[in-house]
Amino acid sequence: MQFKEIIGQERVKQQLVQTVKENRISHAQLFLSPAGSGALPLAIAYAQYINCLNKGENDSCGECSSCRKYERLIHPDLHFSYPFFASASVKTAVDVLEEWRGMLMHDPYFDMDIWRSKLDAANKQANINIAECHDIIKKLSYKAFEAETKVLIMWLPEYLDKAGNALLKLIEEPPANTLFILIAQSQDQILTTILSRTQIVKIPKLSSEEVTGYLLNASGLTEHQAIDYSFLADGNLIEAKALAADTQSDSSGTFTAWLRMGFGNKVPDLIDFTDEAAKWGRENQKNFLKYGVNYLRECCLILSGAEELVKLPPLTFETAKKLSTHVLTLPMAEAIIGELEKAHYHIERNANPKILFLDVSLQLVKIIKFKTLPAGTQYIYN
C-alpha cells in the first residue's frame, strides 16, 4: 500500500516520510486515531516506505520486490497482530491470517464489527491473548529474512488486557531494526505500561471535504447525497461507506421541508410525508432521523452564538440560520432532538414507521407551531 492510495491525512503522511528521510524512526509508535480515519492503511504504507528499495521523494516506488510483497501483504518481515476469537482451532492471530489478509486486500477501512463478521465469533469475546504475545516475541526474535527492518503492526492494542505486560521488555528493548506500530482508537483503554513506552502519533479524523470527495469519486452519489452522508459520518469513512449503500437522498431538503410543514400546521402534507417515509426501509429511516438530530445540534450552535463551529455546507447553513433566526429557539430545538432520538430508538426496535412518523410529525406541530414543550424542557433564563 502506498501513501497516494490513502484518503486525506496529508500532514501525517509528510510527517512519517520526514522521519524516514531524517533517520529518526522511533522503534515503538502508537497511531492514535478515531475510527475510519485510515490509521491502519497509513501504518502499512509507512512500513512499505521504510523497506522500499527505491524510495521516492514522498512515497514508496510500488515496483521493487519489497513493495510487490507488501502490496499482497506477504512480505516475510511484515507481521500483524489483532483481536481474534480463540478456540480449539484458533490459538493465535496467525490462525486467521488468511481472513485478515482478505479483509485488508478488499478494503483497509474497517472496524471491529466488520472484522467480527468475517470470523466464527459465536458468543466469544475478542482479545489478544497471552499465546499471541508469546508468538509475537518468538517471531521478532528471528533475524530479518529480506528487509532491513522487521515490522509488527498491532491493530487495537486495547484488546491486550494484562497479557500485554509480556511484551513490555520486547517493546522497550527490541531486537535491532525492529519497528512496532500500534493502531489504537482509545488511549484510556491501553495499558499504561505500554503507553509509556511508545511515541504517540495523533491522526485526526477526515475532513468533511475529504469524505465528500471520496464518495463522489467512488460511489454513484449525487453531490447532495455525498454532502449529507459526509455530514452524518463526521469524518468516519467506514460509516460514510455504509451510508452510501442507502438510497435516501437530499436529507437536508427533506428534513427542513418536514420542519416547515410542522411550523405551518399542514396536517395533510404531514400525512403524505408519513406515508412516504414509511416506505424508505428501516436503515434509511434511522439515517434520516440521525441526520435531523445532527442538523438541529448545528442549529443549537447558531442559536448559542457559535456560528464559527457549525460544520454545515454553505447552502444548508443559510437555511439553518434562517430557521434558527425566525422559527426555532434553543428549548424548541432540544425538545425536537429528544423526539427524534426517541423515534430512532423505537425504529431500531421495529416500531410501526407510519404510526411513529405521524406521531413525531404531530409533536413537531405542538413544539414549533404552538410552542408547547414536553415536560422537562422548560428553562428559566436570567
Side-chain angles (χ1 to χ4, degrees):
M1 180 165 290
Q2 295 177 279
F3 285 125
K4 67 182 181 183
E5 299 172 44
I6 297 165
I7 296 116
Q9 306 298 2
E10 297 305 322
R11 182 190 62 78
V12 179
K13 291 176 189 175
Q14 194 56 45
Q15 176 185 334
L16 295 174
V17 167
Q18 206 62 31
T19 63
V20 180
K21 290 180 178 178
E22 297 174 2
N23 195 27
R24 51 179 182 83
I25 303 169
S26 176
H27 70 270
Q29 301 183 39
L30 173 65
F31 284 19
L32 191 61
S33 75
S37 301
L40 181 56
L42 268 173
I44 298 171
Y46 183 39
Q48 179 169 323
Y49 184 69
I50 289 170
N51 284 316
C52 178
L53 303 177
N54 186 26
K55 296 180 182 64
E57 183 65 23
N58 295 305
D59 212 340
S60 52
C61 69
E63 298 175 356
C64 67
S65 60
S66 175
C67 284
R68 288 199 300 271
K69 289 175 183 176
Y70 260 89
E71 290 292 341
R72 291 179 290 160
L73 304 174
I74 59 171
H75 198 289
D77 297 309
L78 172 65
H79 306 284
F80 290 101
S81 182
Y82 36 82
F84 59 93
F85 303 92
S87 66
S89 59
V90 179
K91 295 181 171 59
T92 65
V94 173
D95 295 326
V96 288
L97 182 58
E98 287 307 308
E99 291 87 343
W100 175 259
R101 283 175 175 158
M103 164 113 22
L104 272 175
M105 295 289 285
H106 174 68
D107 187 350
Y109 292 82
F110 58 87
D111 57 18
M112 191 61 203
D113 289 337
I114 298 173
W115 173 229
R116 182 187 181 94
S117 70
K118 302 296 180 182
L119 301 175
D120 181 17
N123 292 321
K124 296 190 287 288
Q125 184 73 35
N127 68 349
I128 301 174
N129 60 19
I130 190 66
E132 171 67 6
C133 293
H134 288 160
D135 191 54
I136 290 170
I137 295 169
K138 180 182 175 182
K139 285 186 292 195
L140 296 184
S141 66
Y142 298 142
K143 288 185 178 180
F145 288 92
E146 295 178 11
E148 185 176 333
T149 304
K150 291 176 293 182
V151 179
L152 174 83
I153 297 175
M154 180 180 284
W155 183 61
L156 299 184
E158 295 96 320
Y159 286 82
L160 266 171
D161 202 18
K162 293 181 181 178
N165 287 318
L167 298 173
L168 294 182
K169 184 168 178 61
L170 185 66
I171 293 175
E172 191 166 9
E173 298 176 9
N177 299 322
T178 300
L179 171 62
F180 284 88
I181 304 178
L182 282 65
I183 315 295
Q185 295 172 10
S186 175
Q187 183 174 338
D188 295 337
Q189 294 178 26
I190 302 171
L191 291 171
T192 54
T193 47
I194 288 180
L195 199 61
S196 63
R197 288 167 169 80
T198 59
Q199 180 185 70
I200 297 178
V201 178
K202 291 190 176 181
I203 299 170
K205 66 182 179 183
L206 295 170
S207 69
S208 295
E209 292 75 19
E210 289 167 339
V211 176
T212 300
Y214 170 82
L215 292 176
L216 286 173
N217 292 329
S219 308
L221 299 177
T222 66
E223 186 174 357
H224 280 302
Q225 286 175 314
I227 290 172
D228 285 349
Y229 293 149
S230 172
F231 173 63
L232 274 172
D234 191 25
N236 185 337
L237 196 67
I238 300 166
E239 187 170 347
K241 288 181 177 183
L243 290 167
D246 296 335
T247 56
Q248 174 68 27
S249 62
D250 192 15
S251 294
S252 172
T254 306
F255 183 72
T256 52
W258 192 28
L259 292 180
R260 289 192 184 100
M261 291 176 210
F263 180 67
N265 195 15
K266 298 177 180 177
V267 176
D269 290 343
L270 288 171
I271 293 173
D272 291 340
F273 169 82
T274 296
D275 291 337
E276 185 63 30
K279 301 173 186 175
W280 290 345
R282 191 173 70 163
E283 291 306 312
N284 286 327
Q285 292 161 356
K286 285 164 57 181
N287 289 335
F288 176 75
L289 292 169
K290 184 179 176 185
Y291 181 90
V293 169
N294 289 345
Y295 182 93
L296 287 169
R297 284 175 179 162
E298 300 297 303
C299 290
C300 287
L301 289 174
I302 297 172
L303 288 163
S304 301
E307 290 185 13
E308 67 279 2
L309 300 178
V310 175
K311 299 179 295 183
L312 294 170
L315 291 176
T316 309
F317 173 74
E318 288 303 317
T319 305
K321 194 171 180 180
K322 289 176 184 176
L323 277 169
S324 303
T325 304
H326 303 295
V327 177
L328 295 174
T329 64
L330 196 57
M332 288 164 63
E334 292 181 353
I336 298 170
I337 288 172
E339 294 299 325
L340 297 181
E341 287 178 337
K342 282 193 292 184
H344 187 280
Y345 173 87
H346 291 300
I347 285 288
E348 280 190 322
R349 283 148 185 82
N350 295 315
N352 183 307
K354 188 174 287 191
I355 295 173
L356 184 138
F357 273 98
L358 181 58
D359 178 65
V360 178
S361 298
L362 297 176
Q363 293 299 326
L364 288 181
V365 174
K366 286 176 62 178
I367 294 169
I368 303 176
K369 175 66 176 177
F370 298 109
K371 299 179 175 53
T372 304
L373 301 180
T377 57
Q378 287 79 19
Y379 294 84
I380 299 175
Y381 294 104
N382 292 329

